[in-house]
Amino acid sequence: MTIFGKKLSAAVIASALACSATQAQADVTTLTFEIINKTSGPIILNSSRWDKALAEPGFFDVDPLSEHSFEANYRTNFGYPRKTPATLREVISYAWGNRECTFTTELRVTQSFGLLRPTVTAVRSASATSTGVEDVMCHARVTEKTDDVPLNYSVQFSMG
């Protein structure tokens, strides 16, 4: 291959990589929470890293034997190349008296080399633990997901 051919090949590969990097830069990943209250009393959002002052008072609370859904948007960056996996992790807890459930969800994104764009692999998880003074049943699961960037998904958390 001539020097000109080598430089042309390098330029084509570099521009393909640059295009794939700009396509997958900053996105907004939407995480939908469905909170199910199976108790006989209201459950209250006890802790999260959200600024609860931005929502109406009681917005996150769930009445007895009912459910409430809401969305949270996270600025994500799955730019290429990336040496370490990108991780989005959210931990929230709901309480009813001395009973509390701590719910965790995580989106872990890894990338591998692709000719025109990176191969993105996303793994989502959800878990629940009873963390109050009194035990209570806690359950978590991923209910819906998309395989395309920005990798939106839904989780269902239940208490009681």
Side-chain angles (χ1 to χ4, degrees):
M1 187 180 276
T2 66
I3 293 176
F4 175 75
K6 287 180 184 178
K7 288 184 179 181
L8 180 61
S9 296
V12 169
I13 291 171
S15 66
L17 289 175
C19 288
S20 67
T22 56
Q23 285 177 340
Q25 284 299 317
D27 289 302
V28 174
T29 297
T30 300
L31 179 51
T32 303
F33 294 87
E34 180 183 6
I35 311 297
I36 301 173
N37 182 357
K38 297 180 179 180
T39 71
S40 59
I43 60 174
I44 311 298
L45 181 64
N46 197 31
S47 68
S48 71
R49 41 178 213 165
W50 304 318
D51 183 358
K52 293 188 274 184
L54 298 175
E56 293 179 33
F59 174 79
F60 297 103
D61 303 345
V62 186
D63 291 331
L65 304 172
S66 65
E67 57 188 66
H68 177 58
S69 295
F70 55 90
E71 293 180 344
N73 295 314
Y74 299 88
R75 190 154 190 77
T76 51
N77 185 348
F78 304 124
Y80 186 72
R82 189 175 186 92
K83 293 181 182 180
T84 59
T87 302
L88 174 105
R89 180 180 163 94
E90 189 62 70
V91 179
I92 63 173
S93 70
Y94 272 85
W96 172 48
N98 290 330
R99 296 169 184 91
E100 180 181 60
C101 287
T102 298
F103 302 110
T104 304
T105 185
E106 185 173 277
L107 167 64
R108 186 175 177 88
V109 180
T110 56
Q111 298 177 354
S112 58
F113 179 76
L115 183 57
L116 295 177
R117 51 186 249 179
T119 301
V120 175
T121 305
V123 176
R124 298 159 184 91
S125 63
S127 63
T129 307
S130 178
T131 52
V133 175
E134 296 179 43
D135 279 340
V136 64
M137 292 292 293
C138 305
H139 182 73
R141 68 186 182 106
V142 175
T143 57
E144 293 180 33
K145 61 184 178 179
T146 60
D147 291 327
D148 297 322
V149 172
L151 304 169
N152 301 329
Y153 72 107
S154 299
V155 292
Q156 183 182 76
F157 294 140
S158 65
M159 179 175 177

